[in-house]
Amino acid sequence: MSAVILALAAGAVIGLALGALGGGGSVLAVPALIYLLGFSPVGATTASLVIVTLTSVTALVAHARDGGVRWCTGLLFSAAGIGPAMLGGALSTRIPAAVLTAAFAVVAGVAALRILRSRPAGDGAVTVRPGRVAVAGGGLGAVTGVLGVGGGFLAVPALVSVLGLRMRNAVGTSLLVITVNSLAALATRAGTVERLDWAVVGPFVGAAILGAWDGKRLAAKISGHSLQRIFALVLLAVAAFMLIDAAL
C-alpha cells in the first residue's frame, strides 16, 4: 500500500511538470522509480517511458485545444530524431551506468543554463527553417536515445533557443516530440526488459494524467518567462542530484 501511495504522489508531480513545463517527466520519473519505489535502472527507464508517453498524450490534447502546438515543426523535429534515438539506445548498452548518469546530469545542466540565459521570445510570428529543425531534432534524438528519456527537458530549450518558438508554443510542441521519441524508445525495448509492476505503474500513470491537466491550468496563469525560469531551476536541481549520485 505504501508503494501505491508513493506512486500516486510521484505521478502527480510528474504530471504537473509535463502539463505546465512540457518536459521534465522522465528526469523526475526515473529517480522516483529507482529511489522511492525500488525499481531496477532498466525497469525504471522502461516504466518512465510508458508513464511519460501516456501522460504526454493527455497533456498534448489539452495544449492542442488552445492552439499551443506547432504541428509541422513538432512532426519534423520528431521524425529527424527517430533514427538517431534508436542508434543511441543501442549505444547506451555499451556505456557504464555511472558514465550515463554523469552525462545525463551534464546535459541537463547545460540545457538549464542555456534557457536561463535566453531572452524571452517575442509575440510576433516565428519563421522556422526546416534545416535547423532537422539538425536540432536529430541531435536531440541521439542524446535522448543514449540517456533513455523522452527528451522534453532538452526539447523545450531547443525549441525556444534554437528554433525561436515562444515558450507556450514550445511547451505544447515538446509534448508531441516526447510522445514520438518515447514510442520509438519503447519499440527498441519491446520483449527485452523485465516485466513491469503494473500494480505500481498503473496508479502512477493515473495520477500523472490528472496532474497534467492541473499543470496545463497552471501554465495558463504563469508568464512564459516565469515558466522558463521554473523549468531551468528544476533541471539544475536534478543535474546536481545526479552528479552527486554518480560520484558516490
Side-chain angles (χ1 to χ4, degrees), residues 39-188:
F39 277 58
S40 68
V42 172
T45 301
T46 304
S48 74
L49 288 171
V50 173
I51 293 164
V52 170
T53 298
L54 295 175
T55 308
S56 296
V57 170
T58 301
L60 175 62
V61 172
H63 281 270
R65 287 178 177 176
D66 293 340
V69 180
R70 296 287 294 272
W71 291 99
C72 291
T73 300
L75 289 173
L76 180 57
F77 197 99
S78 302
I82 291 176
M86 291 183 171
L87 291 175
L91 176 64
S92 67
T93 61
R94 303 173 181 269
I95 302 176
V99 175
L100 281 175
T101 301
F104 188 105
V106 170
V107 171
V110 170
L113 292 175
R114 178 162 188 168
I115 202 168
L116 278 174
R117 294 177 61 184
S118 67
R119 295 180 179 179
D123 293 329
V126 177
T127 301
V128 177
R129 298 180 181 179
R132 297 186 71 182
V133 176
V135 171
L140 175 68
V143 172
T144 56
V146 172
L147 299 180
V149 297
F153 76 109
L154 293 173
V156 171
L159 291 168
V160 171
S161 302
V162 178
L163 302 183
L165 295 189
R166 294 188 296 272
M167 184 62 182
R168 294 194 186 282
N169 284 334
V171 168
T173 304
S174 74
L175 292 166
L176 175 60
V177 176
I178 293 168
T179 300
V180 174
N181 281 354
S182 296
L183 286 172
L186 281 172
T188 65

